[in-house]
């Protein structure tokens, strides 16, 4: 679930959360997320096991939310997607591609391998993922395509 970015409306990110069992868990998850810089409002839903986060565009780091939730005992449900990557020639290319992938809203982690021409991203169920990957890498000389449909991560 990607952040909704509309002019005049707050930036919103939906995060699936695991490990909640009661209202006390909901309150703990809300507190964990509220402590992350850039978060302006949180609404946690026990029935759907999700958190709706309103945040500032600058200063908000979805990876920080996922790490805080994991540390607090309520891990975000991440999806792992494998990529086929082309156009790389050196370690600098790898670093650039990882940076571009991490700029996609909802992507929490990215690792690219020069030798195998592959990559792995951990994300929060990003909608239109292939389109966003293509856009993130546009004009850079690199290309990446989804090698599988993804599977639940940790």
């Amino acid at each position: 679930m990607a952040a909704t970015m509309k002019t005049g409306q707050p930036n919103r990110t939906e995060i699936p959360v695991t490990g909640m069992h009661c209202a006390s868990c909901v309150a703990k998850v809300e507190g964990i997320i509220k402590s992350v810089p850039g978060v302006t409002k949180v609404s946690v839903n026990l029935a759907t096991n999700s958190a709706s986060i309103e945040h500032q565009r600058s200063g908000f780091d979805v990876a920080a939310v996922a790490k805080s939730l994991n540390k607090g005992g309520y891990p975000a449900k991440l999806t792992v997607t494998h990529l086929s990557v082309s156009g790389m020639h050196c370690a600098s290319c790898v670093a650039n591609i990882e940076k571009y992938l991490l700029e996609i809203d909802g992507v929490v982690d990215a690792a690219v391998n020069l030798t195998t021409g592959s990559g792995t991203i951990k994300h929060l169920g990003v909608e239109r993922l292939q389109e966003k990957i293509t856009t993130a890498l546009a004009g850079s000389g690199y290309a990446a395509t989804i090698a599988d449909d993804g599977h639940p991560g940790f």
Side-chain angles (χ1 to χ4, degrees):
M1 297 174 225
T4 303
M5 304 295 168
K6 294 183 179 177
T7 305
Q9 294 185 359
N11 298 307
R12 183 171 287 130
T13 299
E14 298 287 328
I15 297 181
V17 180
T18 63
M20 296 187 297
H21 306 288
C22 61
S24 178
C25 294
V26 168
K28 288 178 185 175
V29 168
E30 285 180 348
I32 290 167
I33 295 172
K34 284 179 183 175
S35 71
V36 176
V39 173
T40 57
K41 185 177 177 183
V42 179
S43 176
V44 177
N45 187 318
L46 179 61
T48 61
N49 290 310
S50 64
S52 177
I53 304 167
E54 289 184 14
H55 54 86
Q56 302 166 352
R57 181 66 179 142
S58 70
F60 177 74
D61 181 6
V62 72
V65 173
K67 288 175 186 173
S68 293
L69 286 169
N70 192 44
K71 184 177 178 182
Y74 301 95
K77 184 178 179 185
L78 301 178
T79 300
V80 177
T81 299
H82 299 281
L83 307 173
S84 176
V85 184
S86 62
M88 298 183 291
H89 307 289
C90 62
S92 180
C93 294
V94 169
N96 286 333
I97 293 170
E98 288 173 349
K99 180 185 82 160
Y100 297 142
L101 292 172
L102 286 169
E103 290 175 356
I104 298 171
D105 288 322
V107 172
V108 173
D109 188 34
V112 176
N113 186 306
L114 175 64
T115 305
T116 62
S118 64
T120 303
I121 58 172
K122 293 179 184 172
H123 58 93
L124 299 165
V126 178
E127 295 175 16
R128 298 183 332 270
L129 182 59
Q130 181 61 59
E131 176 185 327
K132 290 181 180 184
I133 290 170
T134 301
T135 300
L137 299 177
S140 66
Y142 312 115
T145 57
I146 295 174
D148 70 15
D149 290 335
H151 53 82
F154 51 87

